Amino acid sequence: MQDAAVLKGTKDGYEIILDENANLKDIFSSLRKLLDNLKTQTASTNPQTIAFDIYTGMRLWPADDRSELEKIFSDYSYFSVHKITSDVITKEESNRIIEQSSVHIVDKVIRNGQEEHIQGDVLFLGTVHEGGKLFVGGNIFVLGNVEGIIQAGAPDLEDKMIIGDVHNAQQVRIGEQFEILADSKHEMNSGTVIYVNDLHVLDYGKVEDLKQINPKFYNQIGGVING
Amino acid sequence: MGKAYVITSGKGGVGKTTSSANIGTALAMLGKKVCLLDLDIGLRNLDVVLGLDNRIMYDIVDVAAGRAKLSQALVKDKRFDDLLYLLPAAQNTDKTALNEDQVREIVDELKPDFDFILIDCPAGIEQGFMNAIAGADSAIIVTTPEISAVRDADRVVGLLEQHPLQEQPHLIINRIRQHMMKDGSVMDVDEITHHLGVELLGIVFDDDAVITTSNNGEPVVLQAENPAGQGYRDIARRLVGESVPLMEIKDEQQPSFWQKVTHWFRKG
């Protein structure tokens, strides 16, 4: 029978490939055998900690099984798990990635006392009334009217931006930085970019300068893996 | 089968109770059978505004608790034959004495016998508010041209979107001081209506007579010439399906003493 756990050396270190078709019992026993072997082999040489990458192929490893796996490694003082990778993700995870990587078009009225929480980028066409709050995980592109509070990069991402005219807003926030607009005098138009500068302070720029302001945003490559 | 409207505002003191009393009276004057429900439990006023406070035997909490029958608790307004009734609020208990199901049950029991059921909502957005909107088919939101009142109205519109009623809400802008609106020192009718995104049901001008009539227990709609009464009568006519144009906002500011003096000198 083929081993359910196979060791492979890569340029980045050691990888253990777990057979996606084998049952868990075989995988665990095979893994123990493998680690026992390694232990006796490395014991003669100078012992050093080895962190393995685990690759599970087309099998999804739920949290319970992962902790079982990590428990096996904890029995060997010199071995540890670096990361577990696989070719598959849960629907939940994929939805989260889609949610985070897509631009959501939001066309609603956020009234006094209401809060809207959205992951990913937002193209905002609606209205935020005074006292309303729009919290967005990604960037916000504003075409609508904002008279309340608007936050990009919620709760703490400072590389996000607000693009558009929000001069009527009560507050703008990016990550943990905020500004009360009544206290600041900034000319704004539809080409205004609000971002957090290198000094961790909210700053105002123009869309034309976006390449300098946030090169990463400019180079964004789509797709789930690269995004 | 009647229709139930909740009269609400969020903010206190914008004229919910006055509006309830006046719209109810105006509807009765149009020959409709109306029941007013006072849900401002603990601080009942609607009975006082209508001049019915001396006729109360039982209240809405008695009905909900089964201590009285609904028909026993209803107070009839003798001025309008058999058209205007009041179900008074309780005084010696608080807003948690009722729940949403009980209010819904009472309103459903009233509906077959009345054309209109007007629910006077307490200020605030707590349990009392939830009770008041539970039984309603539609809401009438009362605001004044003050920013704070409009903000609270905005909050209430938001809450009504979360607990949608059968029909879209309506808006009344109350206590309009014509000269202030005319000279732009307060938000104007279009601005408020557009901001809230709610269909305008009517406007009511501020008038001293609203206070004096309410003190006497005779709603201002009973005065034929009064502009505030006119506003409420127009609202009632719109509620029964008539189309009535909005009252025009005129600059009715009285000339000040010095203006009078300079005018007198110029004339001389």
Side-chain angles (χ1 to χ4, degrees), chain A residues 100-167:
Chain A
Q100 265 182 2
S101 60
S102 51
V103 179
H104 304 267
I105 297 173
V106 178
D107 173 20
K108 57 158 75 173
V109 181
I110 302 171
R111 295 178 183 276
N112 184 18
Q114 292 182 324
E115 282 181 17
E116 189 73 32
H117 295 262
I118 299 162
Q119 289 303 315
D121 291 356
V122 165
L123 172 59
F124 187 69
L125 304 174
T127 307
V128 183
H129 283 180
E130 294 98 336
K133 300 187 186 93
L134 173 63
F135 297 132
V136 173
N139 302 293
I140 311 174
F141 314 106
V142 180
L143 289 179
N145 185 21
V146 179
E147 296 170 355
I149 295 175
I150 185 171
Q151 181 176 26
D156 58 2
L157 298 175
E158 295 197 347
D159 61 338
K160 302 302 178 194
M161 298 175 295
I162 296 170
I163 299 177
D165 187 352
V166 292
H167 76 276

Side-chain angles (χ1 to χ4, degrees), chain B residues 48-90:
Chain B
V48 181
V49 176
L50 287 164
L52 298 174
D53 49 321
N54 51 352
R55 296 172 193 276
I56 295 174
M57 303 298 290
Y58 297 103
D59 57 51
I60 189 165
V61 176
D62 291 329
V63 176
R67 288 191 291 268
K69 280 190 215 142
L70 187 54
S71 54
Q72 289 176 302
L74 287 177
V75 181
K76 184 159 99 175
D77 191 330
K78 289 189 168 169
R79 288 168 292 194
F80 304 97
D81 299 332
D82 207 15
L83 290 173
L84 186 62
Y85 285 83
L86 168 73
L87 182 57

